[in-house]
Amino acid sequence: MTELEVQVLDEVWSGFVPLKISLSKHDISFSGTPLDYYICVPRCSYLPLIVENISKHFDQYTSTDYVQDEIWFSYKSIPLKWHYPIGFLLDIYSSILYNTVILNIPFEIEVNFRRFPADTLLPYKGLKSLYTIFQNSLKESCAMLLGTSAPVLNLSREQEDKVWNCAKTGNYKGFAESTRDFSGLPQENCKLIPVKIYYQKLGNGIMLHPFQASEQKNVLDAVKEVVGEFQGKIVAQGIEIPGESDLHWLWKCLAHPDNFLYITLLDS
Amino acid sequence: MEPETKAQDPGKSIIVNLKPVANAPILKKTKFKIASDKPFGSIINFVCSQLGGKDRVFLYCNSSFSPSADSVISDLFNCFKVGNELIINYAITEAWG
């Protein structure tokens, strides 16, 4: 890793997303207008991690017959996937105005205490669900990179905890210390580049594709390989990405803590 | 021009090879075909039902990670296939971390 790459990673990881959270109108049980809740959360972090604070704040406005593990979030009534990094959710719901990518800041979302949308969200059983998804995502990206997830499986319990804490708090340097065997690898050591692409036009929204690291390709060619002709904007970590950027380099500098590069495609 | 979305081809089916881990019972049928555009959750449900309606099984791709239930089977196949199969290990207790 060059000094510049480390600096980029450090800055990206320490980026925050300002959230403005309002209580879903279906959950307001008492008269009075609930005050919105404002919070800045690390880009790399996840929505379930703020549930405890949120429920304390809105508790007084809603009846108490809810289950903490069934609290979920939505944007304009669309359920937000709790297992996607918050920064990625912000990218997905950004828009294009005058040919410029506009991030919806603050990200105005709703919190919902009931009617968990089990048809669109993965089942959630508390923070253990989030931790399990994160660990498996890390193993999955490692299996793409190296053909085996052994370096992640071989982490000690202490290292695992450290990696998870660094992910939650956006601490790149701490993360890098424990993950040298599988993060920031040079191209010649990688098999497939772990990339997740979100494009609304794809059936499932998000997809994985086996980009061979040896093929050295720019991000626009990579996108075209997956979705065909593409004229819109490519966004990662809230940044509009020039089409000629090298895909492996982007992964190295803009990957999330689960070691996946999350690319969002926006139509102009 | 119609955008070409190679992501999910509903016509295609994929061979899934199920392998038991540790003391998991061996299924009567270990290989089956599944539509490539289905989510991984459909394999989870299938294995649960094959194991006599167990409500929880642990599935792993190539003995290395548990795909999330919303992963698309064709994506997993494209990235992790061995030969022309997607190899899924199943366990009744947690394996591999």
Side-chain angles (χ1 to χ4, degrees):
Chain A
M1 297 287 272
T2 65
E3 213 172 293
L4 176 69
E5 287 165 354
V6 171
Q7 194 187 338
V8 170
L9 274 158
D10 208 20
E11 282 187 28
V12 166
W13 279 50
S14 52
F16 278 82
V17 175
L19 299 176
K20 177 187 175 189
I21 303 165
S22 48
L23 180 61
S24 155
K25 60 181 188 299
H26 303 289
D27 286 325
I28 302 175
S29 304
F30 303 111
S31 59
T33 313
L35 287 175
D36 294 332
Y37 187 84
Y38 290 80
I39 184 172
C40 272
V41 288
R43 267 205 145 258
C44 306
S45 184
Y46 297 86
L47 287 169
L49 295 166
I50 55 170
V51 159
E52 204 180 330
N53 290 345
I54 305 277
S55 59
K56 269 184 206 151
H57 176 81
F58 289 112
D59 220 17
Q60 55 182 308
Y61 303 106
T62 190
S63 57
T64 51
D65 61 340
Y66 64 87
V67 180
Q68 181 121 350
D69 289 346
E70 288 180 4
I71 293 177
W72 55 285
F73 296 88
S74 53
Y75 173 71
K76 293 186 174 167
S77 301
I78 306 164
L80 292 172
K81 307 235 180 201
W82 57 263
H83 61 301
Y84 288 179
I86 292 170
F88 179 51
L89 291 169
L90 179 70
D91 292 353
I92 288 177
Y93 295 107
S94 57
S95 46
I96 295 178
L97 193 65
Y98 300 120
N99 205 31
T100 307
V101 175
I102 307 287
L103 300 176
N104 293 314
I105 291 176
F107 193 24
E108 297 187 20
I109 61 176
E110 306 98 38
V111 60
N112 303 265
F113 283 63
R114 288 172 198 81
R115 304 170 319 283
F116 188 87
D119 52 335
T120 46
L121 299 185
L122 294 182
Y124 180 71
K125 301 276 174 260
L127 288 177
K128 186 166 190 305
S129 300
L130 180 63
Y131 181 71
T132 304
I133 283 262
F134 175 78
Q135 280 297 329
N136 277 296
S137 200
L138 201 58
K139 289 175 200 162
E140 184 174 5
S141 60
C142 189
M144 290 180 83
L145 275 171
L146 303 170
T148 169
S149 60
V152 180
L153 290 166
N154 293 341
L155 289 176
S156 67
R157 185 77 215 187
E158 265 172 33
Q159 284 173 312
E160 272 182 15
D161 288 346
K162 186 175 171 191
V163 167
W164 179 223
N165 281 327
C166 291
K168 288 192 286 190
T169 53
N171 172 1
Y172 168 68
K173 286 189 175 143
F175 174 86
E177 279 168 16
S178 301
T179 58
R180 286 207 182 94
D181 292 343
F182 52 89
S183 74
L185 299 178
Q187 185 175 2
E188 57 272 23
N189 295 3
C190 304
K191 287 186 172 167
L192 303 179
I193 305 176
V195 183
K196 288 186 178 177
I197 297 182
Y198 176 86
Y199 190 32
Q200 210 185 359
K201 282 187 183 156
L202 296 173
N204 183 46
I206 196 165
M207 77 165 298
L208 280 181
H209 188 79
F211 294 114
Q212 302 285 341
S214 58
E215 286 176 9
Q216 214 173 19
K217 117 181 353 159
N218 73 43
V219 66
L220 183 59
D221 287 344
V223 163
K224 284 180 176 171
E225 194 176 313
V226 178
V227 302
E229 204 44 49
F230 181 70
Q231 307 280 352
K233 301 282 188 194
I234 302 169
V235 179
Q237 296 279 19
I239 303 161
E240 187 181 329
I241 306 293
E244 66 270 21
S245 314
D246 177 71
L247 186 68
H248 169 265
W249 185 79
L250 281 177
W251 165 75
K252 206 159 75 159
C253 295
L254 298 181
H256 273 269
D258 64 0
N259 226 6
F260 274 102
L261 170 67
Y262 287 80
I263 287 179
T264 301
L265 303 181
L266 298 172
D267 279 323
S268 297
Chain B
M1 197 176 96
E2 195 64 21
E4 188 190 357
T5 46
K6 296 175 185 172
Q8 288 110 33
D9 177 0
K12 212 179 140 201
S13 57
I14 277 167
I15 301 169
V16 177
N17 186 351
L18 294 169
K19 296 189 170 183
V21 180
N23 57 348
I26 296 165
L27 300 174
K28 278 186 198 137
K29 201 178 162 200
T30 55
K31 283 190 190 185
F32 67 100
K33 280 187 175 179
I34 191 159
S36 63
D37 59 338
K38 289 259 189 303
F40 186 71
S42 57
I43 299 184
I44 303 177
N45 293 341
F46 176 79
V47 176
C48 284
S49 68
Q50 291 295 300
L51 291 173
K54 273 205 180 306
D55 56 356
R56 200 159 182 213
V57 288
F58 298 89
L59 299 192
Y60 302 89
C61 180
N62 291 346
S63 309
S64 54
F65 69 96
S66 291
S68 75
D70 62 348
S71 303
V72 180
I73 291 171
S74 61
D75 289 357
L76 294 171
F77 177 78
N78 291 334
C79 295
F80 302 107
K81 65 185 164 196
V82 177
N84 65 345
E85 298 173 343
L86 178 63
I87 294 179
I88 300 297
N89 317 84
Y90 62 95
I92 44 175
T93 50
E94 204 165 353
W96 296 296

